[in-house]
Amino acid sequence: MKREIWYAFAVYFVEMAVVSGYVVGWIPLHPIVLMLPLVGLINFKVEGKGGEGLGLVVCRPVPSLVLALAFAALSFGEHLIRLRLEGITLQPVSFSAPAMGSLVRDLAVDLFILALWEEIVSRGYIQTRLQGAWGFRGVMIATLLFAFLHLPSALSDYALPEAAFRFLQTGLSGFVLAYLYWRTGSVLPTILLHGLCNFAGSVVVHLSGLSYAQVTAVQMPFQLLWLAGEVGLMVLACRLLCGNGPTGWHERTSRYSV
């Protein structure tokens, strides 16, 4: 097995330990504080790779931006439809300074902390190496690892049935992100998509008056069906906008294409 694969799995198990420790309160620092320096050190110093080893490249910017914004809009629309089906009325938008400040803070956290950390580590570092060695099978393995990474927080916040749903939900959402990275070769659109999708949930929490857990629990079967449709749309859209094969650093190392 290639040395890079060992590094990828080692980083993943360290990340899982850090996330679990953070969830139960044993580790006071947010995982981004520990994980980004770690993958940067391994990528740049140990492996001697450049930014492409973390997916930090600009590749096909126009289709990448279009895909990220379109699927973020789909995510927001899905939230609105679910609340409508439940008969939940949204509150009027407040343009007060506290409300706007809260939204700006949520956007910064969703985009520059949560999405930045998860995409650079899960997609940029781990998936790059798995798909470089195993092609599309590596994409699927990276997606499964991403879903398991969210289990500690799901088990902490939800009962077992809801936690199982969160695992499936994260797996489908993770595949949308993983496939976008596979076809564009850059974490920049996946960071944007991931962050905006998280922010869509934050906006709905503000407008509905519900907690994030309550918003998540609304119309769970519908959510899974919607996400399955997004998976199909992402595959189709990437084929139309991004050509017939993967791009970027992993294109030169992958033996497979879909």
Side-chain angles (χ1 to χ4, degrees):
M1 187 180 294
K2 291 183 178 181
R3 182 184 62 174
E4 289 82 359
I5 298 299
W6 289 110
Y7 286 147
F9 280 109
V11 165
Y12 176 77
F13 287 118
V14 169
E15 184 178 33
M16 177 64 83
V18 169
V19 169
S20 300
Y22 180 74
V23 168
V24 300
W26 294 346
I27 298 177
L29 297 175
H30 191 278
I32 191 175
V33 177
L34 302 174
M35 295 310 303
L36 286 187
L38 175 63
V39 297
L41 176 66
I42 297 174
N43 179 76
F44 293 110
K45 299 298 183 181
V46 178
E47 296 181 285
K49 301 184 185 300
E52 71 278 1
L54 296 176
L56 297 173
V57 296
V58 177
C59 187
R60 293 175 174 166
V62 174
S64 297
L65 179 63
V66 169
L67 287 169
L69 294 177
F71 277 82
L74 283 175
S75 177
F76 185 65
E78 182 264 341
H79 285 299
L80 297 182
I81 292 172
R82 286 192 293 112
L83 294 181
R84 180 70 175 178
L85 291 174
E86 287 290 314
I88 298 172
T89 303
L90 298 181
Q91 302 169 357
V93 177
S94 173
F95 293 98
S96 65
M100 291 295 101
S102 179
L103 285 175
V104 170
R105 183 182 65 250
D106 287 343
L107 178 61
V109 170
D110 291 334
L111 192 59
F112 298 111
I113 295 181
L114 299 179
L116 183 70
W117 150 50
E118 292 187 357
E119 292 307 310
I120 290 180
V121 177
S122 295
R123 240 68 63 184
Y125 189 85
I126 295 173
Q127 183 177 323
T128 292
R129 283 144 185 83
L130 295 184
Q131 68 190 22
W134 298 326
F136 190 66
R137 288 176 294 177
V139 176
M140 298 302 294
I141 293 171
T143 299
L144 189 61
L145 294 177
F146 182 75
F148 274 110
L149 184 66
H150 289 74
L151 265 185
S153 60
L155 291 172
S156 174
D157 296 338
Y158 304 98
L160 188 58
E162 288 80 12
F165 161 75
R166 286 287 290 163
F167 178 80
L168 294 174
Q169 181 193 46
T170 306
L172 289 170
S173 300
F175 181 79
V176 170
L177 293 164
Y179 196 80
L180 179 60
Y181 178 63
W182 163 252
R183 298 306 291 270
T184 62
S186 172
V187 295
L188 302 182
T190 67
I191 290 172
L192 181 62
L193 174 56
H194 192 160
L196 290 180
C197 286
N198 287 349
F199 182 61
S202 299
V203 171
V204 169
V205 166
H206 281 276
L207 297 181
S208 66
L210 302 176
S211 68
Y212 187 80
Q214 290 172 321
V215 170
T216 302
V218 171
Q219 294 284 336
M220 290 189 290
F222 176 82
Q223 291 185 62
L224 295 180
L225 287 174
W226 186 282
L227 282 169
E230 285 194 10
V231 167
L233 282 174
M234 178 59 77
V235 172
L236 178 61
C238 282
R239 287 181 177 275
L240 291 174
L241 296 177
C242 299
N244 295 320
T247 63
W249 177 70
H250 57 267
E251 181 180 32
R252 300 192 294 272
T253 59
S254 177
R255 294 175 294 137
Y256 302 92
S257 179
V258 293

PDB file of all heavy atoms in Angstrom, residues 73-98:
ATOM      1  N   ALA A  73     -28.522  26.720  -3.515  1.00  0.00           N
ATOM      2  CA  ALA A  73     -29.899  27.183  -3.659  1.00  0.00           C
ATOM      3  C   ALA A  73     -30.884  26.026  -3.530  1.00  0.00           C
ATOM      4  O   ALA A  73     -31.952  26.164  -2.918  1.00  0.00           O
ATOM      5  CB  ALA A  73     -30.077  27.887  -5.014  1.00  0.00           C
ATOM      6  N   LEU A  74     -30.534  24.871  -4.072  1.00  0.00           N
ATOM      7  CA  LEU A  74     -31.373  23.688  -3.923  1.00  0.00           C
ATOM      8  C   LEU A  74     -31.514  23.292  -2.460  1.00  0.00           C
ATOM      9  O   LEU A  74     -32.593  22.900  -2.008  1.00  0.00           O
ATOM     10  CB  LEU A  74     -30.784  22.519  -4.720  1.00  0.00           C
ATOM     11  CG  LEU A  74     -30.993  22.528  -6.230  1.00  0.00           C
ATOM     12  CD1 LEU A  74     -30.233  21.371  -6.868  1.00  0.00           C
ATOM     13  CD2 LEU A  74     -32.481  22.423  -6.560  1.00  0.00           C
ATOM     14  N   SER A  75     -30.427  23.396  -1.716  1.00  0.00           N
ATOM     15  CA  SER A  75     -30.468  23.062  -0.299  1.00  0.00           C
ATOM     16  C   SER A  75     -31.407  23.997   0.458  1.00  0.00           C
ATOM     17  O   SER A  75     -32.220  23.549   1.288  1.00  0.00           O
ATOM     18  CB  SER A  75     -29.060  23.137   0.296  1.00  0.00           C
ATOM     19  OG  SER A  75     -29.078  22.878   1.686  1.00  0.00           O
ATOM     20  N   PHE A  76     -31.325  25.287   0.171  1.00  0.00           N
ATOM     21  CA  PHE A  76     -32.201  26.245   0.835  1.00  0.00           C
ATOM     22  C   PHE A  76     -33.660  25.987   0.452  1.00  0.00           C
ATOM     23  O   PHE A  76     -34.555  26.034   1.305  1.00  0.00           O
ATOM     24  CB  PHE A  76     -31.792  27.666   0.464  1.00  0.00           C
ATOM     25  CG  PHE A  76     -32.564  28.734   1.187  1.00  0.00           C
ATOM     26  CD1 PHE A  76     -32.457  28.872   2.567  1.00  0.00           C
ATOM     27  CD2 PHE A  76     -33.400  29.597   0.492  1.00  0.00           C
ATOM     28  CE1 PHE A  76     -33.166  29.855   3.246  1.00  0.00           C
ATOM     29  CE2 PHE A  76     -34.115  30.571   1.161  1.00  0.00           C
ATOM     30  CZ  PHE A  76     -33.997  30.705   2.543  1.00  0.00           C
ATOM     31  N   GLY A  77     -33.890  25.690  -0.822  1.00  0.00           N
ATOM     32  CA  GLY A  77     -35.251  25.390  -1.270  1.00  0.00           C
ATOM     33  C   GLY A  77     -35.812  24.153  -0.591  1.00  0.00           C
ATOM     34  O   GLY A  77     -37.007  24.118  -0.250  1.00  0.00           O
ATOM     35  N   GLU A  78     -34.970  23.170  -0.381  1.00  0.00           N
ATOM     36  CA  GLU A  78     -35.418  21.940   0.300  1.00  0.00           C
ATOM     37  C   GLU A  78     -35.880  22.233   1.709  1.00  0.00           C
ATOM     38  O   GLU A  78     -36.910  21.725   2.167  1.00  0.00           O
ATOM     39  CB  GLU A  78     -34.270  20.924   0.293  1.00  0.00           C
ATOM     40  CG  GLU A  78     -34.613  19.584   0.923  1.00  0.00           C
ATOM     41  CD  GLU A  78     -34.171  19.513   2.371  1.00  0.00           C
ATOM     42  OE1 GLU A  78     -33.309  20.325   2.782  1.00  0.00           O
ATOM     43  OE2 GLU A  78     -34.697  18.648   3.106  1.00  0.00           O
ATOM     44  N   HIS A  79     -35.149  23.091   2.422  1.00  0.00           N
ATOM     45  CA  HIS A  79     -35.567  23.489   3.769  1.00  0.00           C
ATOM     46  C   HIS A  79     -36.942  24.153   3.737  1.00  0.00           C
ATOM     47  O   HIS A  79     -37.821  23.848   4.561  1.00  0.00           O
ATOM     48  CB  HIS A  79     -34.549  24.455   4.372  1.00  0.00           C
ATOM     49  CG  HIS A  79     -33.272  23.807   4.823  1.00  0.00           C
ATOM     50  ND1 HIS A  79     -33.230  22.836   5.801  1.00  0.00           N
ATOM     51  CD2 HIS A  79     -31.984  24.010   4.447  1.00  0.00           C
ATOM     52  CE1 HIS A  79     -31.978  22.463   5.997  1.00  0.00           C
ATOM     53  NE2 HIS A  79     -31.203  23.163   5.184  1.00  0.00           N
ATOM     54  N   LEU A  80     -37.130  25.079   2.824  1.00  0.00           N
ATOM     55  CA  LEU A  80     -38.391  25.816   2.751  1.00  0.00           C
ATOM     56  C   LEU A  80     -39.565  24.894   2.417  1.00  0.00           C
ATOM     57  O   LEU A  80     -40.655  25.026   2.994  1.00  0.00           O
ATOM     58  CB  LEU A  80     -38.288  26.927   1.708  1.00  0.00           C
ATOM     59  CG  LEU A  80     -37.251  28.021   1.977  1.00  0.00           C
ATOM     60  CD1 LEU A  80     -37.298  29.075   0.874  1.00  0.00           C
ATOM     61  CD2 LEU A  80     -37.474  28.673   3.337  1.00  0.00           C
ATOM     62  N   ILE A  81     -39.341  23.953   1.509  1.00  0.00           N
ATOM     63  CA  ILE A  81     -40.414  23.030   1.130  1.00  0.00           C
ATOM     64  C   ILE A  81     -40.792  22.149   2.313  1.00  0.00           C
ATOM     65  O   ILE A  81     -41.987  21.915   2.586  1.00  0.00           O
ATOM     66  CB  ILE A  81     -39.981  22.178  -0.071  1.00  0.00           C
ATOM     67  CG1 ILE A  81     -39.863  23.055  -1.325  1.00  0.00           C
ATOM     68  CG2 ILE A  81     -40.984  21.039  -0.319  1.00  0.00           C
ATOM     69  CD1 ILE A  81     -39.258  22.350  -2.509  1.00  0.00           C
ATOM     70  N   ARG A  82     -39.813  21.646   3.049  1.00  0.00           N
ATOM     71  CA  ARG A  82     -40.114  20.781   4.200  1.00  0.00           C
ATOM     72  C   ARG A  82     -40.928  21.523   5.249  1.00  0.00           C
ATOM     73  O   ARG A  82     -41.894  20.980   5.810  1.00  0.00           O
ATOM     74  CB  ARG A  82     -38.813  20.251   4.813  1.00  0.00           C
ATOM     75  CG  ARG A  82     -38.133  19.187   4.003  1.00  0.00           C
ATOM     76  CD  ARG A  82     -37.035  18.508   4.777  1.00  0.00           C
ATOM     77  NE  ARG A  82     -35.918  19.383   5.079  1.00  0.00           N
ATOM     78  CZ  ARG A  82     -35.592  19.799   6.287  1.00  0.00           C
ATOM     79  NH1 ARG A  82     -36.341  19.452   7.345  1.00  0.00           N
ATOM     80  NH2 ARG A  82     -34.540  20.591   6.481  1.00  0.00           N
ATOM     81  N   LEU A  83     -40.535  22.763   5.539  1.00  0.00           N
ATOM     82  CA  LEU A  83     -41.283  23.530   6.533  1.00  0.00           C
ATOM     83  C   LEU A  83     -42.698  23.823   6.045  1.00  0.00           C
ATOM     84  O   LEU A  83     -43.657  23.809   6.834  1.00  0.00           O
ATOM     85  CB  LEU A  83     -40.545  24.831   6.833  1.00  0.00           C
ATOM     86  CG  LEU A  83     -39.179  24.684   7.510  1.00  0.00           C
ATOM     87  CD1 LEU A  83     -38.565  26.059   7.764  1.00  0.00           C
ATOM     88  CD2 LEU A  83     -39.278  23.910   8.816  1.00  0.00           C
ATOM     89  N   ARG A  84     -42.829  24.065   4.744  1.00  0.00           N
ATOM     90  CA  ARG A  84     -44.155  24.296   4.167  1.00  0.00           C
ATOM     91  C   ARG A  84     -45.025  23.054   4.309  1.00  0.00           C
ATOM     92  O   ARG A  84     -46.220  23.151   4.643  1.00  0.00           O
ATOM     93  CB  ARG A  84     -44.000  24.687   2.696  1.00  0.00           C
ATOM     94  CG  ARG A  84     -45.311  24.962   1.970  1.00  0.00           C
ATOM     95  CD  ARG A  84     -45.953  26.229   2.452  1.00  0.00           C
ATOM     96  NE  ARG A  84     -47.139  26.541   1.677  1.00  0.00           N
ATOM     97  CZ  ARG A  84     -47.925  27.595   1.913  1.00  0.00           C
ATOM     98  NH1 ARG A  84     -47.624  28.442   2.892  1.00  0.00           N
ATOM     99  NH2 ARG A  84     -48.996  27.815   1.186  1.00  0.00           N
ATOM    100  N   LEU A  85     -44.453  21.888   4.054  1.00  0.00           N
ATOM    101  CA  LEU A  85     -45.201  20.636   4.184  1.00  0.00           C
ATOM    102  C   LEU A  85     -45.660  20.397   5.612  1.00  0.00           C
ATOM    103  O   LEU A  85     -46.712  19.785   5.851  1.00  0.00           O
ATOM    104  CB  LEU A  85     -44.340  19.459   3.712  1.00  0.00           C
ATOM    105  CG  LEU A  85     -44.046  19.381   2.212  1.00  0.00           C
ATOM    106  CD1 LEU A  85     -43.057  18.259   1.924  1.00  0.00           C
ATOM    107  CD2 LEU A  85     -45.325  19.179   1.419  1.00  0.00           C
ATOM    108  N   GLU A  86     -44.878  20.879   6.567  1.00  0.00           N
ATOM    109  CA  GLU A  86     -45.230  20.724   7.976  1.00  0.00           C
ATOM    110  C   GLU A  86     -46.162  21.835   8.475  1.00  0.00           C
ATOM    111  O   GLU A  86     -46.605  21.803   9.623  1.00  0.00           O
ATOM    112  CB  GLU A  86     -43.960  20.718   8.839  1.00  0.00           C
ATOM    113  CG  GLU A  86     -43.151  19.447   8.729  1.00  0.00           C
ATOM    114  CD  GLU A  86     -43.844  18.256   9.380  1.00  0.00           C
ATOM    115  OE1 GLU A  86     -44.343  18.402  10.522  1.00  0.00           O
ATOM    116  OE2 GLU A  86     -43.902  17.184   8.744  1.00  0.00           O
ATOM    117  N   GLY A  87     -46.435  22.810   7.627  1.00  0.00           N
ATOM    118  CA  GLY A  87     -47.294  23.911   8.036  1.00  0.00           C
ATOM    119  C   GLY A  87     -46.629  24.886   8.973  1.00  0.00           C
ATOM    120  O   GLY A  87     -47.304  25.611   9.725  1.00  0.00           O
ATOM    121  N   ILE A  88     -45.289  24.929   8.956  1.00  0.00           N
ATOM    122  CA  ILE A  88     -44.539  25.830   9.822  1.00  0.00           C
ATOM    123  C   ILE A  88     -44.383  27.179   9.129  1.00  0.00           C
ATOM    124  O   ILE A  88     -43.891  27.262   7.999  1.00  0.00           O
ATOM    125  CB  ILE A  88     -43.158  25.244  10.164  1.00  0.00           C
ATOM    126  CG1 ILE A  88     -43.320  23.929  10.926  1.00  0.00           C
ATOM    127  CG2 ILE A  88     -42.327  26.234  10.980  1.00  0.00           C
ATOM    128  CD1 ILE A  88     -42.024  23.186  11.149  1.00  0.00           C
ATOM    129  N   THR A  89     -44.820  28.226   9.780  1.00  0.00           N
ATOM    130  CA  THR A  89     -44.773  29.567   9.211  1.00  0.00           C
ATOM    131  C   THR A  89     -43.448  30.232   9.544  1.00  0.00           C
ATOM    132  O   THR A  89     -43.004  30.220  10.692  1.00  0.00           O
ATOM    133  CB  THR A  89     -45.919  30.430   9.763  1.00  0.00           C
ATOM    134  OG1 THR A  89     -47.158  29.779   9.481  1.00  0.00           O
ATOM    135  CG2 THR A  89     -45.908  31.811   9.116  1.00  0.00           C
ATOM    136  N   LEU A  90     -42.833  30.789   8.541  1.00  0.00           N
ATOM    137  CA  LEU A  90     -41.568  31.499   8.758  1.00  0.00           C
ATOM    138  C   LEU A  90     -41.838  32.907   9.263  1.00  0.00           C
ATOM    139  O   LEU A  90     -42.820  33.556   8.863  1.00  0.00           O
ATOM    140  CB  LEU A  90     -40.763  31.562   7.458  1.00  0.00           C
ATOM    141  CG  LEU A  90     -40.338  30.236   6.858  1.00  0.00           C
ATOM    142  CD1 LEU A  90     -39.533  30.467   5.587  1.00  0.00           C
ATOM    143  CD2 LEU A  90     -39.535  29.419   7.842  1.00  0.00           C
ATOM    144  N   GLN A  91     -40.980  33.376  10.116  1.00  0.00           N
ATOM    145  CA  GLN A  91     -41.099  34.719  10.654  1.00  0.00           C
ATOM    146  C   GLN A  91     -40.597  35.737   9.627  1.00  0.00           C
ATOM    147  O   GLN A  91     -39.752  35.408   8.788  1.00  0.00           O
ATOM    148  CB  GLN A  91     -40.282  34.845  11.945  1.00  0.00           C
ATOM    149  CG  GLN A  91     -40.687  33.855  13.023  1.00  0.00           C
ATOM    150  CD  GLN A  91     -39.706  33.826  14.179  1.00  0.00           C
ATOM    151  OE1 GLN A  91     -38.679  34.516  14.155  1.00  0.00           O
ATOM    152  NE2 GLN A  91     -40.017  33.036  15.185  1.00  0.00           N
ATOM    153  N   PRO A  92     -41.091  36.969   9.679  1.00  0.00           N
ATOM    154  CA  PRO A  92     -40.577  38.011   8.766  1.00  0.00           C
ATOM    155  C   PRO A  92     -39.085  38.233   9.010  1.00  0.00           C
ATOM    156  O   PRO A  92     -38.589  38.102  10.125  1.00  0.00           O
ATOM    157  CB  PRO A  92     -41.393  39.251   9.151  1.00  0.00           C
ATOM    158  CG  PRO A  92     -42.620  38.715   9.813  1.00  0.00           C
ATOM    159  CD  PRO A  92     -42.203  37.456  10.515  1.00  0.00           C
ATOM    160  N   VAL A  93     -38.400  38.569   7.932  1.00  0.00           N
ATOM    161  CA  VAL A  93     -36.966  38.824   8.036  1.00  0.00           C
ATOM    162  C   VAL A  93     -36.728  40.091   8.850  1.00  0.00           C
ATOM    163  O   VAL A  93     -37.338  41.133   8.588  1.00  0.00           O
ATOM    164  CB  VAL A  93     -36.330  38.980   6.642  1.00  0.00           C
ATOM    165  CG1 VAL A  93     -34.854  39.322   6.759  1.00  0.00           C
ATOM    166  CG2 VAL A  93     -36.528  37.708   5.832  1.00  0.00           C
ATOM    167  N   SER A  94     -35.875  39.989   9.841  1.00  0.00           N
ATOM    168  CA  SER A  94     -35.535  41.145  10.668  1.00  0.00           C
ATOM    169  C   SER A  94     -34.217  41.739  10.191  1.00  0.00           C
ATOM    170  O   SER A  94     -33.225  41.020  10.032  1.00  0.00           O
ATOM    171  CB  SER A  94     -35.408  40.728  12.135  1.00  0.00           C
ATOM    172  OG  SER A  94     -34.925  41.803  12.919  1.00  0.00           O
ATOM    173  N   PHE A  95     -34.240  43.041   9.937  1.00  0.00           N
ATOM    174  CA  PHE A  95     -33.026  43.723   9.485  1.00  0.00           C
ATOM    175  C   PHE A  95     -32.371  44.507  10.618  1.00  0.00           C
ATOM    176  O   PHE A  95     -31.592  45.423  10.373  1.00  0.00           O
ATOM    177  CB  PHE A  95     -33.351  44.644   8.315  1.00  0.00           C
ATOM    178  CG  PHE A  95     -33.761  43.922   7.068  1.00  0.00           C
ATOM    179  CD1 PHE A  95     -35.103  43.781   6.756  1.00  0.00           C
ATOM    180  CD2 PHE A  95     -32.814  43.364   6.229  1.00  0.00           C
ATOM    181  CE1 PHE A  95     -35.496  43.092   5.611  1.00  0.00           C
ATOM    182  CE2 PHE A  95     -33.198  42.675   5.082  1.00  0.00           C
ATOM    183  CZ  PHE A  95     -34.545  42.540   4.773  1.00  0.00           C
ATOM    184  N   SER A  96     -32.686  44.114  11.846  1.00  0.00           N
ATOM    185  CA  SER A  96     -32.077  44.773  12.988  1.00  0.00           C
ATOM    186  C   SER A  96     -30.597  44.413  13.058  1.00  0.00           C
ATOM    187  O   SER A  96     -30.159  43.377  12.529  1.00  0.00           O
ATOM    188  CB  SER A  96     -32.770  44.355  14.283  1.00  0.00           C
ATOM    189  OG  SER A  96     -32.568  42.974  14.533  1.00  0.00           O
ATOM    190  N   ALA A  97     -29.829  45.265  13.717  1.00  0.00           N
ATOM    191  CA  ALA A  97     -28.389  45.033  13.825  1.00  0.00           C
ATOM    192  C   ALA A  97     -28.063  43.707  14.508  1.00  0.00           C
ATOM    193  O   ALA A  97     -27.191  42.970  14.029  1.00  0.00           O
ATOM    194  CB  ALA A  97     -27.731  46.204  14.564  1.00  0.00           C
ATOM    195  N   PRO A  98     -28.745  43.342  15.613  1.00  0.00           N
ATOM    196  CA  PRO A  98     -28.441  42.047  16.243  1.00  0.00           C
ATOM    197  C   PRO A  98     -28.726  40.861  15.326  1.00  0.00           C
ATOM    198  O   PRO A  98     -27.946  39.908  15.275  1.00  0.00           O
ATOM    199  CB  PRO A  98     -29.352  42.041  17.477  1.00  0.00           C
ATOM    200  CG  PRO A  98     -29.606  43.469  17.775  1.00  0.00           C
ATOM    201  CD  PRO A  98     -29.668  44.145  16.446  1.00  0.00           C
TER     202      PRO A  98
END
